[in-house]
């Protein structure tokens, strides 16, 4: 999909060599901690990641740099239309942002979704998340709808 690579690819950016690979049980604590940063709830985060690791396993990827998990992405095919996929989550540790890691994770999820039959891939992003919006636009996504209150604000 994107020019940066595919699942399992390596990229050099700012002395980082991120490896994008499928989520595994050993990643649970690190990914749960990253998820908690957004939710503020260790319980909710751990439950979500545990469930996601089962429900979305073919579309759940982590980024690691020097054996440390530095990001993750989760996708899913929709139940109503197997030709439609969604990027459910994409998170990268703050100090590793703007180095291409988000693009690599996005590429892994989109590639897995299209390999599974998705013709269209959707995502949602908070209106104030300018860095993520830039990433998604650079990748080729475009705004198709704005739903006021979607993120609770």
């Amino acid at each position: 999909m994107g020019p940066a690579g595919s699942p399992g690819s390596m990229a050099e950016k700012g002395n980082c060599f991120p490896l994008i690979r499928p989520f595994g049980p050993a990643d649970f604590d690190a990914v749960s901690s990253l998820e908690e940063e957004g939710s503020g709830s260790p319980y909710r985060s751990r439950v979500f990641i545990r469930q996601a690791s089962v429900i979305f396993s073919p579309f759940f990827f982590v980024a690691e740099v020097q054996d440390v998990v530095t990001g993750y992405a989760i996708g899913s095919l929709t139940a109503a239309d197997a030709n439609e996929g969604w990027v459910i989550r994409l998170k990268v540790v703050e100090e590793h942002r703007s180095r291409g890691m988000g693009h690599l994770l996005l590429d892994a999820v989109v590639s897995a979704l299209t390999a599974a039959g998705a013709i269209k891939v959707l995502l949602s992003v908070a209106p104030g998340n300018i860095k993520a919006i830039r990433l998604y636009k650079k990748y080729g996504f475009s705004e198709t709808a704005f739903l006021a209150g979607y993120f609770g604000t």
Side-chain angles (χ1 to χ4, degrees):
M1 277 276 150
S6 60
S9 67
M10 302 280 276
E12 181 176 353
K13 289 276 190 173
N15 295 328
C16 291
F17 299 95
L19 171 66
I20 307 301
R21 60 173 176 72
F23 173 90
D27 302 317
F28 178 76
D29 287 332
V31 173
S32 293
S33 293
L34 287 174
E35 177 68 18
E36 184 181 341
E37 290 175 14
S39 75
S41 168
Y43 169 76
R44 259 193 323 239
S45 300
R46 293 178 76 78
V47 169
F48 173 74
I49 295 303
R50 193 170 310 284
Q51 292 171 345
S53 71
V54 174
I55 298 167
F56 309 122
S57 62
F59 314 107
F60 195 159
F61 297 91
V62 297
E64 73 174 37
V65 175
Q66 298 175 345
D67 298 323
V68 175
V69 172
T70 54
Y72 67 97
I74 303 170
S76 178
L77 294 174
T78 63
D81 183 354
N83 293 321
E84 184 176 279
W86 272 81
V87 177
I88 306 292
R89 288 281 199 286
L90 176 64
K91 294 193 178 199
V92 174
V93 174
E94 181 70 39
E95 58 267 19
H96 289 280
R97 292 182 187 160
S98 300
R99 296 181 180 181
M101 194 172 301
H103 189 101
L104 290 170
L105 283 164
L106 188 57
D107 199 51
V109 170
V110 170
S111 294
L113 289 168
T114 56
I119 296 168
K120 175 171 63 171
V121 177
L122 304 168
L123 55 80
S124 60
V125 60
N129 193 344
I130 303 304
K131 284 185 177 183
I133 292 169
R134 269 197 307 257
L135 168 66
Y136 298 142
K137 283 184 177 179
K138 186 176 178 182
Y139 194 85
F141 284 92
S142 59
E143 185 174 332
T144 59
F146 178 81
L147 302 173
Y150 185 85
F151 289 94
T153 57

